[in-house]
Amino acid sequence: MSVSNVDRADEQPRAGGTGTERGGAEGSVLVVDDDPTVSEVVAGYLERAGFTVRLAADGPAGLRAAEEHRPDLMVLDLMLPGMDGLEVCRRLRARESGGESGGGESGDRPVPVIMLTARGDEDDRILGLEVGADDYVTKPFSPRELVLRVRSVLRRAQAGAPSGTPQGGPRLAVAGLTLDPAARRVHKEGRELALTLREFDLLAYFLRHPGQVCDRERLMREVWGWDFGDLSTVTVHVRRLRGKIEDDPGSPQLIQTVWGAGYRFDAAPQAGTAPAGGAEDGRA
């Protein structure tokens, strides 16, 4: 990643501090990028915003750092020496789900990942989302924009609910799925599912709006909190979510595609659970 990938008009001198860890108490961020100038600029902005920052310069070092000092969020460049960002994210998610040795402790929430990708390279963005990234920032980027994205993703992760999903509330049980909004945990027939931040929020939104057709713009607005953006982000997350909750993702029974309109969650809540719906009923 070259220096030109950071908007230098945003760069300001940073005060003091060298090494691999520094900063404040707003949360911990692991920045994995092989360009030391970019890493220093990003770290400086995050530190001034109150975050503790750790740096890693290649893929294997990033994975080791995430395992040894679990961050609250990872900023991950796509193009890295040793192991690219896609493979880092893939292995991170595998460890979190127990699918690879060296995984985190049971019950740990997945680490949110913001991927840095090339502007206009839709394939890279889609691949990043496919392997479990929660968000992406395209290069060249403004460090201020990145800090805002970090805060936004962490706010959702720590609050336990996206903008369109009420925080907390009763557990929801549908078609063998049980979702606990407060604990941010989902079980399917007694087995816990490893969902990313966005996947959990998307499922919670579907469960609270059963039978409603939700277009991608609505999902992006209510689940992602974005008024505009790349709608393929929604498509990829729906596909990933189907892969985790459907018995046969190739022939989904829960999340139905309504061609030309959006998606509809078709299962009715089981007896004894909270009713869904609310102020947004009827919106498509």
Side-chain angles (χ1 to χ4, degrees):
M1 179 171 172
S2 69
V3 176
S4 63
N5 286 317
V6 173
D7 183 350
R8 302 310 294 261
D10 256 353
E11 184 177 349
Q12 300 175 4
R14 53 181 305 273
T18 58
T20 59
E21 180 175 356
R22 36 314 151 95
E26 287 295 311
S28 60
V29 179
L30 173 61
V31 177
V32 187
D33 196 297
D34 62 317
D35 187 315
T37 303
V38 171
S39 293
E40 288 295 312
V41 171
V42 170
Y45 271 81
L46 288 169
E47 288 166 10
R48 286 194 292 273
F51 293 97
T52 297
V53 180
R54 293 183 64 84
L55 302 178
D58 57 48
L63 272 179
R64 287 195 301 271
E67 182 177 352
E68 294 169 2
H69 304 275
R70 187 178 185 276
D72 294 316
L73 181 142
M74 178 186 291
V75 175
L76 179 62
D77 189 23
L78 180 65
M79 302 301 295
L80 292 169
M83 182 189 303
D84 67 22
L86 295 174
E87 184 62 21
V88 171
C89 191
R90 185 180 294 113
R91 294 194 185 191
L92 178 67
R93 295 300 183 227
R95 291 182 181 184
E96 291 168 341
S97 64
E100 181 176 324
S101 60
E105 297 179 4
S106 177
D108 278 351
R109 295 177 183 174
V111 174
V113 173
I114 297 178
M115 190 83 75
L116 303 180
T117 69
R119 182 181 298 277
D121 196 337
E122 183 179 2
D123 289 343
D124 282 349
R125 296 199 299 273
I126 290 177
L127 284 172
L129 296 170
E130 287 277 15
V131 299
D134 297 279
D135 204 346
Y136 62 85
V137 173
T138 56
K139 302 176 291 188
F141 62 89
S142 158
R144 289 191 181 97
E145 177 193 357
L146 181 58
V147 171
L148 290 175
R149 291 290 186 94
V150 167
R151 282 177 166 160
S152 175
V153 171
L154 281 177
R155 185 165 56 248
R156 285 191 299 272
Q158 294 163 357
S163 60
T165 304
Q167 181 176 345
R171 294 186 180 188
L172 302 171
V174 167
L177 296 169
T178 303
L179 182 144
D180 185 337
R184 292 189 68 86
R185 302 179 76 173
V186 177
H187 291 79
K188 179 179 180 180
E189 298 174 348
R191 177 177 59 88
E192 185 166 6
L193 303 181
L195 301 187
T196 66
L197 170 70
R198 300 290 196 184
E199 291 165 356
F200 182 94
D201 291 345
L202 183 59
L203 178 59
Y205 192 83
F206 277 135
L207 292 183
R208 286 192 167 97
H209 300 81
Q212 296 185 30
V213 176
C214 302
D215 62 27
R216 293 189 299 171
E217 290 84 356
R218 173 180 172 179
L219 292 171
M220 177 160 284
R221 182 175 62 252
E222 301 295 346
V223 177
W224 273 256
W226 301 349
D227 291 325
F228 58 90
D230 183 355
L231 294 178
S232 64
T233 299
V234 178
T235 306
V236 170
H237 278 81
V238 168
R239 183 162 60 243
R240 283 181 53 83
L241 184 58
R242 281 173 169 162
K244 296 181 179 182
I245 69 171
E246 299 277 5
D247 292 331
D248 180 3
S251 181
Q253 300 300 307
L254 300 176
I255 303 176
Q256 298 285 341
T257 297
V258 181
W259 295 108
Y263 302 100
R264 183 183 64 235
F265 194 86
D266 267 356
Q270 297 170 355
T273 61
E280 293 174 311
D281 287 355
R283 287 172 53 187

